[in-house]
Amino acid sequence: MRVATWNVNSVRTRVGRIVDWLVREDVDVLGMQEIKCKPEQFPTEAFEAAGYQVEAHGLNQWNGVAFASRLPMEDVTRDFPGQPGFLKGHEGSDLPVEARAIGVTVEGVRLWSLYVPNGRELGDPHYTYKLDWLAELADRTSEWLAASPETPLALMGDWNVAPLDQDVWDMRVFEGSTHVSEPERAAFRAFETIGLQDVVRPIVPDGYTYWDYKQLRFPRNEGMRIDFVLGSEAFADVVTDAAIHRNERKGDAPSDHVPVTVDLDLDLDTALDDDRPMIF
């Protein structure tokens, strides 16, 4: 089974690219971030025509997460328990929860598509929100692992954290900025402490997943590695390959992120052959 994560930066703008890539790369399950639409606005028909069902979670033209899968999705969960909310200029426990997390189970594998808050600037309330969001997710993940250690679990998405210096093109440029601050990196490492691991880096040690549209960042390869698949031991044990699809940053109207794929050995060839649509 091939699973993938991709911050698509508006699914309606890039639906053709996304579906073409899914079919071309033989992807079974895709977790998307920044879909920027409500579920009723999602271009579901194009995905269904290619043999994929969709589960989407979006509230407006910002944020939003989704899954597209050609295998049945079960236990669909929008938001994780205790997920913090945010509203600029407001504080308290009753803040609106943004559409940043959706979970599904596919063939016994538990997958989450996550769009971690950006943080904006050090000292900004959004930065505190980001750290709180990650801390709550780590607490829930620890509970999930304790309750079902045998279940392959992966948290996939745009983490908006570059955990290592090599994950940005020049640390001097990022001094005093979000994404590389020690509190953010510590929040990322917390997931490793509770039992998750980056299943892509051992296979693809180098490479970026994001390049800003400005200042010719992509042609200059001035990028960041901020999209990750963190898997439990049970998930990591069935990983056979992984890839960062850099070429998807090329061409007309690309997302500023590229997809990341992970291959799992789950012996699903027969089921997939039965379910795959006829595509000419």
Side-chain angles (χ1 to χ4, degrees):
M1 185 168 78
R2 176 166 289 174
V3 301
T5 179
W6 193 357
N7 179 323
V8 296
N9 191 13
S10 179
V11 67
R12 290 178 290 178
T13 300
R14 287 171 244 286
V15 58
R17 287 191 65 133
I18 299 166
V19 173
D20 287 349
W21 179 81
L22 282 171
V23 174
R24 185 173 69 252
E25 296 297 332
D26 200 24
V27 174
D28 299 304
V29 188
L30 171 64
M32 289 169 273
Q33 302 86 45
E34 241 186 318
I35 62 171
K36 295 184 176 180
C37 67
K38 298 177 181 179
E40 60 267 26
Q41 299 170 317
F42 196 99
T44 304
E45 296 80 2
F47 286 83
E48 290 180 342
Y52 292 84
Q53 296 298 308
V54 171
E55 293 288 348
H57 179 30
L59 302 176
N60 48 39
Q61 73 272 30
W62 309 110
N63 308 321
V65 285
F67 274 102
S69 175
R70 60 187 182 191
L71 293 165
M73 291 181 281
E74 302 174 328
D75 303 323
V76 180
T77 307
R78 290 166 175 80
D79 308 324
F80 57 83
Q83 183 174 322
F86 182 81
L87 183 62
K88 186 177 181 179
H90 296 268
E91 298 180 356
S93 58
D94 58 346
L95 300 177
V97 175
E98 298 178 305
R100 293 183 175 273
I102 185 171
V104 299
T105 300
V106 180
E107 297 296 328
V109 180
R110 186 62 174 168
L111 303 170
W112 282 89
S113 177
L114 305 169
Y115 181 38
V116 176
N118 178 279
R120 298 176 183 169
E121 296 180 357
L122 302 183
D124 190 288
H126 208 260
Y127 179 76
T128 302
Y129 165 53
K130 178 180 189 175
L131 296 177
D132 290 345
W133 200 96
L134 286 168
E136 286 291 341
L137 177 61
D139 286 346
R140 299 294 81 72
T141 303
S142 181
E143 294 171 358
W144 298 332
L145 292 173
S148 186
E150 73 284 355
T151 298
L153 166 70
L155 308 185
M156 314 189 302
D158 177 358
W159 289 77
N160 271 315
V161 178
L164 303 178
D165 287 357
Q166 72 190 57
D167 294 333
V168 297
W169 80 89
D170 188 342
M171 274 297 296
R172 294 170 297 181
V173 175
F174 288 86
E175 185 176 353
S177 300
T178 59
H179 292 60
V180 299
S181 72
E182 180 52 31
E184 290 167 287
R185 288 179 165 182
F188 188 91
R189 290 194 300 269
F191 290 89
E192 299 174 348
T193 301
I194 63 177
L196 299 188
Q197 55 189 288
D198 182 344
V199 300
V200 177
R201 199 185 295 272
I203 301 169
V204 190
D206 300 307
Y208 302 135
T209 63
Y210 164 85
W211 297 261
D212 198 313
Y213 292 123
K214 302 174 183 177
Q215 299 179 327
L216 298 175
R217 293 298 190 204
F218 182 67
R220 295 173 177 170
N221 198 31
E222 295 176 346
M224 304 175 69
R225 189 171 186 153
I226 57 177
D227 301 85
F228 297 97
V229 180
L230 301 188
S232 65
E233 182 178 355
F235 185 91
D237 284 346
V238 294
V239 171
T240 60
D241 202 3
I244 296 173
H245 294 253
R246 186 180 188 277
N247 284 343
E248 288 307 308
R249 185 60 175 79
K250 301 177 181 179
D252 295 332
S255 171
D256 44 4
H257 295 250
V258 296
V260 178
T261 56
V262 173
D263 292 347
L264 308 177
D265 183 7
L266 297 177
D267 298 324
L268 298 179
D269 289 345
T270 301
L272 288 176
D273 288 341
D274 291 342
D275 291 343
R276 286 173 183 166
M278 298 296 290
I279 299 175
F280 301 95

